[in-house]
Amino acid sequence: MIEKRIKINNLNISNRVVMPPMCMYSAGDDGIATDFHVLHYTTRAIGGVGLLIQEATAVEPEGRITVNDLGIWDDGQIENLKSIVDHVHQYGTKMGIQLAHAGRKAQLPKAYAPSRIAYEGYEMPTEMTKDDIHRVIHKFKLAARRARLAGYDLVEVHAAHGYLINEFLSPLSNKRTDEYKDGTLFLEQVLKAVREEWPIEKPLCVRVTAEEYMDEGLHPHDLARIINRVKGLGVDLVDVSSGGNYKVTIKLFSGYQLGFAETIRKETGLPVIGGGLIEDIDTAEAAIHSGKCDMVYLGRLLLRDPYFVINQMDVEYPKPYIRGKKKT
Ligand SMILES: Cc1cc2nc3c(=O)[nH]c(=O)nc-3n(C[C@H](O)[C@H](O)[C@H](O)COP(=O)(O)O)c2cc1C
């Protein structure tokens, strides 16, 4: 049985299951959250998930993947985001938000990137000037302020899956010759800016692509080194994923990214969220018991089964549903 509770920074989380960020592409082109988002997240809160991390939410309109992404670039977006948070909190679940910029993977008229290198099959991006870089860093800061005002419990900076920050970090996509050829500098400045608005007692998480599945790309030790360089800025948690910056075929199996999580955990000393194709409670519990990770994310599983946690784990069953609880 998993030691259920966990405290990250000052945040008490009732169990170690995380719903990772998953884009729903269901906002209007104003980026404002809709009733769907309230229902979608609240359903998983009723379903007993310890921590929900809201889907990639764009810090500027050009940072969206599609025009239907959620946004947090305008004060007018705060009210509906707050409604998601307030509903989720009613069921004792903690609510995080992933702050994101799509970089060269934005499928919009203009896409920004550290260098003029397109993601396979995508349009050629615009190489960012230093002014562009400083603008985006500032947008992350403003987004963190809005996340605070909306009442989120955790901010996750999206540095994975081939989106903007990952593009800076990776030698596959960053061929700059100025100081930002050191891609960690960009991550560092984003985290510093976020921390200026994100209260120090609230957890700050970074999502990373720990393995790019290319010899010349990033590997878990590289990411551990990067995290060790920035963790002093107030990083409390690392959410370990892989891939996305280069089109490759990944060998998938249950828990396929847990080994990467274990390396990051060992080499940084920080708690990590791990996962990848976890389909059953035994694998989830074993991931934590074996010390590979501190929390487990269940993505697609929670899309199809929002009540997985209440049905598979020893957690409080929602009172109105007790008559439906399976007898053991
Ligand atoms: C529909 C969908 C949307 C996703 N959107 C995001 C996202 O917004 N941000 C992110 O970091 N990962 C995203 N992911 C990746 C998931 O967070 C997760 O890492 C991945 O699905 C592997 O976990 P799983 O095998 O338990 O589903 C998405 C995955 C799915 C299936």
Short mmCIF file of all heavy atoms in Angstrom, two decimals, residues 257-286:
data_model
loop_
_atom_site.label_atom_id
_atom_site.label_comp_id
_atom_site.label_asym_id
_atom_site.label_seq_id
_atom_site.Cartn_x
_atom_site.Cartn_y
_atom_site.Cartn_z
N GLN A 257 8.82 5.34 -18.73
CA GLN A 257 9.65 6.52 -18.39
C GLN A 257 10.11 6.52 -16.93
O GLN A 257 10.74 7.48 -16.47
CB GLN A 257 8.86 7.81 -18.68
CG GLN A 257 8.51 7.95 -20.15
CD GLN A 257 7.47 9.00 -20.44
OE1 GLN A 257 7.67 9.87 -21.25
NE2 GLN A 257 6.33 8.92 -19.77
N LEU A 258 9.78 5.45 -16.20
CA LEU A 258 10.10 5.43 -14.77
C LEU A 258 11.61 5.41 -14.50
O LEU A 258 12.07 5.98 -13.51
CB LEU A 258 9.43 4.22 -14.09
CG LEU A 258 7.91 4.33 -13.93
CD1 LEU A 258 7.34 3.01 -13.40
CD2 LEU A 258 7.53 5.48 -13.00
N GLY A 259 12.36 4.76 -15.38
CA GLY A 259 13.81 4.73 -15.19
C GLY A 259 14.41 6.13 -15.28
O GLY A 259 15.35 6.47 -14.54
N PHE A 260 13.83 6.96 -16.16
CA PHE A 260 14.32 8.35 -16.29
C PHE A 260 14.00 9.12 -15.00
O PHE A 260 14.80 9.90 -14.51
CB PHE A 260 13.67 9.06 -17.48
CG PHE A 260 13.69 8.27 -18.77
CD1 PHE A 260 12.64 8.35 -19.67
CD2 PHE A 260 14.77 7.46 -19.08
CE1 PHE A 260 12.64 7.63 -20.86
CE2 PHE A 260 14.80 6.73 -20.27
CZ PHE A 260 13.71 6.81 -21.16
N ALA A 261 12.80 8.87 -14.48
CA ALA A 261 12.38 9.54 -13.25
C ALA A 261 13.34 9.17 -12.11
O ALA A 261 13.77 10.02 -11.33
CB ALA A 261 10.95 9.15 -12.90
N GLU A 262 13.69 7.89 -12.06
CA GLU A 262 14.58 7.41 -11.00
C GLU A 262 15.94 8.11 -11.06
O GLU A 262 16.49 8.54 -10.04
CB GLU A 262 14.75 5.89 -11.16
CG GLU A 262 15.55 5.25 -10.05
CD GLU A 262 15.65 3.73 -10.23
OE1 GLU A 262 15.46 3.25 -11.37
OE2 GLU A 262 15.91 3.05 -9.23
N THR A 263 16.47 8.26 -12.28
CA THR A 263 17.77 8.94 -12.43
C THR A 263 17.68 10.38 -11.96
O THR A 263 18.55 10.87 -11.21
CB THR A 263 18.22 8.89 -13.91
OG1 THR A 263 18.28 7.54 -14.31
CG2 THR A 263 19.55 9.57 -14.12
N ILE A 264 16.63 11.08 -12.38
CA ILE A 264 16.49 12.50 -11.99
C ILE A 264 16.35 12.60 -10.47
O ILE A 264 16.95 13.46 -9.83
CB ILE A 264 15.25 13.13 -12.68
CG1 ILE A 264 15.32 13.00 -14.19
CG2 ILE A 264 15.06 14.59 -12.23
CD1 ILE A 264 16.29 13.88 -14.90
N ARG A 265 15.57 11.68 -9.90
CA ARG A 265 15.35 11.69 -8.45
C ARG A 265 16.69 11.50 -7.71
O ARG A 265 17.01 12.23 -6.77
CB ARG A 265 14.37 10.58 -8.09
CG ARG A 265 13.96 10.53 -6.64
CD ARG A 265 12.87 9.47 -6.47
NE ARG A 265 12.24 9.57 -5.17
CZ ARG A 265 12.48 8.71 -4.18
NH1 ARG A 265 13.32 7.72 -4.35
NH2 ARG A 265 11.87 8.88 -3.02
N LYS A 266 17.45 10.49 -8.15
CA LYS A 266 18.72 10.17 -7.47
C LYS A 266 19.73 11.30 -7.62
O LYS A 266 20.42 11.66 -6.69
CB LYS A 266 19.33 8.91 -8.09
CG LYS A 266 18.82 7.64 -7.47
CD LYS A 266 19.79 6.49 -7.76
CE LYS A 266 19.17 5.18 -7.28
NZ LYS A 266 19.12 4.17 -8.33
N GLU A 267 19.81 11.85 -8.84
CA GLU A 267 20.90 12.80 -9.11
C GLU A 267 20.58 14.23 -8.72
O GLU A 267 21.48 15.07 -8.69
CB GLU A 267 21.29 12.71 -10.60
CG GLU A 267 21.86 11.34 -10.93
CD GLU A 267 22.40 11.22 -12.34
OE1 GLU A 267 22.51 12.24 -13.05
OE2 GLU A 267 22.73 10.07 -12.72
N THR A 268 19.31 14.53 -8.45
CA THR A 268 18.97 15.90 -8.03
C THR A 268 18.54 15.96 -6.57
O THR A 268 18.54 17.04 -5.98
CB THR A 268 17.80 16.48 -8.86
OG1 THR A 268 16.61 15.74 -8.56
CG2 THR A 268 18.10 16.44 -10.35
N GLY A 269 18.13 14.82 -6.01
CA GLY A 269 17.64 14.82 -4.63
C GLY A 269 16.25 15.44 -4.49
O GLY A 269 15.75 15.60 -3.39
N LEU A 270 15.62 15.76 -5.62
CA LEU A 270 14.28 16.35 -5.56
C LEU A 270 13.22 15.26 -5.72
O LEU A 270 13.47 14.24 -6.38
CB LEU A 270 14.09 17.37 -6.69
CG LEU A 270 14.83 18.71 -6.56
CD1 LEU A 270 14.61 19.55 -7.82
CD2 LEU A 270 14.39 19.48 -5.32
N PRO A 271 12.02 15.48 -5.14
CA PRO A 271 10.94 14.54 -5.43
C PRO A 271 10.53 14.63 -6.90
O PRO A 271 10.63 15.70 -7.52
CB PRO A 271 9.79 15.01 -4.53
CG PRO A 271 10.17 16.36 -4.03
CD PRO A 271 11.64 16.56 -4.23
N VAL A 272 10.11 13.50 -7.45
CA VAL A 272 9.73 13.47 -8.86
C VAL A 272 8.36 12.82 -9.05
O VAL A 272 7.94 11.98 -8.25
CB VAL A 272 10.76 12.72 -9.74
CG1 VAL A 272 12.14 13.34 -9.63
CG2 VAL A 272 10.82 11.24 -9.39
N ILE A 273 7.69 13.23 -10.12
CA ILE A 273 6.48 12.56 -10.58
C ILE A 273 6.91 11.72 -11.78
O ILE A 273 7.58 12.23 -12.70
CB ILE A 273 5.39 13.55 -11.04
CG1 ILE A 273 5.24 14.72 -10.06
CG2 ILE A 273 4.05 12.83 -11.21
CD1 ILE A 273 4.24 15.79 -10.54
N GLY A 274 6.55 10.44 -11.77
CA GLY A 274 6.95 9.57 -12.88
C GLY A 274 5.74 8.83 -13.42
O GLY A 274 4.68 8.79 -12.80
N GLY A 275 5.92 8.26 -14.61
CA GLY A 275 4.81 7.51 -15.19
C GLY A 275 5.07 7.15 -16.63
O GLY A 275 6.22 7.06 -17.07
N GLY A 276 3.99 6.93 -17.36
CA GLY A 276 4.10 6.52 -18.76
C GLY A 276 3.43 5.17 -18.95
O GLY A 276 3.97 4.15 -18.52
N LEU A 277 2.25 5.20 -19.53
CA LEU A 277 1.50 3.98 -19.84
C LEU A 277 1.24 3.10 -18.62
O LEU A 277 1.24 1.88 -18.75
CB LEU A 277 2.21 3.17 -20.92
CG LEU A 277 1.70 3.36 -22.35
CD1 LEU A 277 2.37 2.33 -23.27
CD2 LEU A 277 0.18 3.17 -22.42
N ILE A 278 1.06 3.71 -17.47
CA ILE A 278 0.69 2.91 -16.30
C ILE A 278 -0.81 2.65 -16.37
O ILE A 278 -1.61 3.56 -16.53
CB ILE A 278 1.12 3.62 -14.99
CG1 ILE A 278 2.65 3.67 -14.94
CG2 ILE A 278 0.54 2.90 -13.77
CD1 ILE A 278 3.22 4.31 -13.72
N GLU A 279 -1.16 1.37 -16.29
CA GLU A 279 -2.53 0.95 -16.57
C GLU A 279 -3.19 0.26 -15.39
O GLU A 279 -4.34 -0.14 -15.48
CB GLU A 279 -2.51 -0.04 -17.75
CG GLU A 279 -1.91 0.52 -19.02
CD GLU A 279 -2.90 1.31 -19.84
OE1 GLU A 279 -3.98 0.80 -20.10
OE2 GLU A 279 -2.58 2.47 -20.20
N ASP A 280 -2.41 0.04 -14.31
CA ASP A 280 -3.01 -0.69 -13.19
C ASP A 280 -2.39 -0.23 -11.88
O ASP A 280 -1.30 0.33 -11.86
CB ASP A 280 -2.80 -2.20 -13.37
CG ASP A 280 -1.33 -2.54 -13.38
OD1 ASP A 280 -0.71 -2.43 -14.48
OD2 ASP A 280 -0.79 -2.86 -12.33
N ILE A 281 -3.10 -0.50 -10.79
CA ILE A 281 -2.70 0.00 -9.48
C ILE A 281 -1.41 -0.66 -9.00
O ILE A 281 -0.59 0.00 -8.34
CB ILE A 281 -3.86 -0.16 -8.46
CG1 ILE A 281 -3.56 0.62 -7.17
CG2 ILE A 281 -4.19 -1.60 -8.17
CD1 ILE A 281 -3.51 2.10 -7.34
N ASP A 282 -1.19 -1.94 -9.33
CA ASP A 282 0.03 -2.61 -8.86
C ASP A 282 1.29 -1.94 -9.42
O ASP A 282 2.26 -1.73 -8.70
CB ASP A 282 0.01 -4.10 -9.27
CG ASP A 282 -1.07 -4.85 -8.52
OD1 ASP A 282 -1.56 -4.32 -7.49
OD2 ASP A 282 -1.45 -5.95 -8.96
N THR A 283 1.24 -1.59 -10.70
CA THR A 283 2.41 -0.93 -11.31
C THR A 283 2.61 0.45 -10.69
O THR A 283 3.74 0.87 -10.42
CB THR A 283 2.21 -0.80 -12.84
OG1 THR A 283 1.83 -2.07 -13.35
CG2 THR A 283 3.45 -0.32 -13.55
N ALA A 284 1.51 1.14 -10.44
CA ALA A 284 1.60 2.48 -9.83
C ALA A 284 2.22 2.38 -8.43
O ALA A 284 3.14 3.14 -8.10
CB ALA A 284 0.21 3.12 -9.76
N GLU A 285 1.76 1.43 -7.65
CA GLU A 285 2.28 1.30 -6.28
C GLU A 285 3.73 0.85 -6.29
O GLU A 285 4.56 1.36 -5.53
CB GLU A 285 1.41 0.31 -5.50
CG GLU A 285 0.01 0.87 -5.27
CD GLU A 285 -0.77 0.14 -4.18
OE1 GLU A 285 -0.53 -1.05 -3.95
OE2 GLU A 285 -1.64 0.80 -3.58
N ALA A 286 4.06 -0.07 -7.21
CA ALA A 286 5.44 -0.56 -7.28
C ALA A 286 6.40 0.56 -7.66
O ALA A 286 7.54 0.61 -7.18
CB ALA A 286 5.54 -1.70 -8.29
#
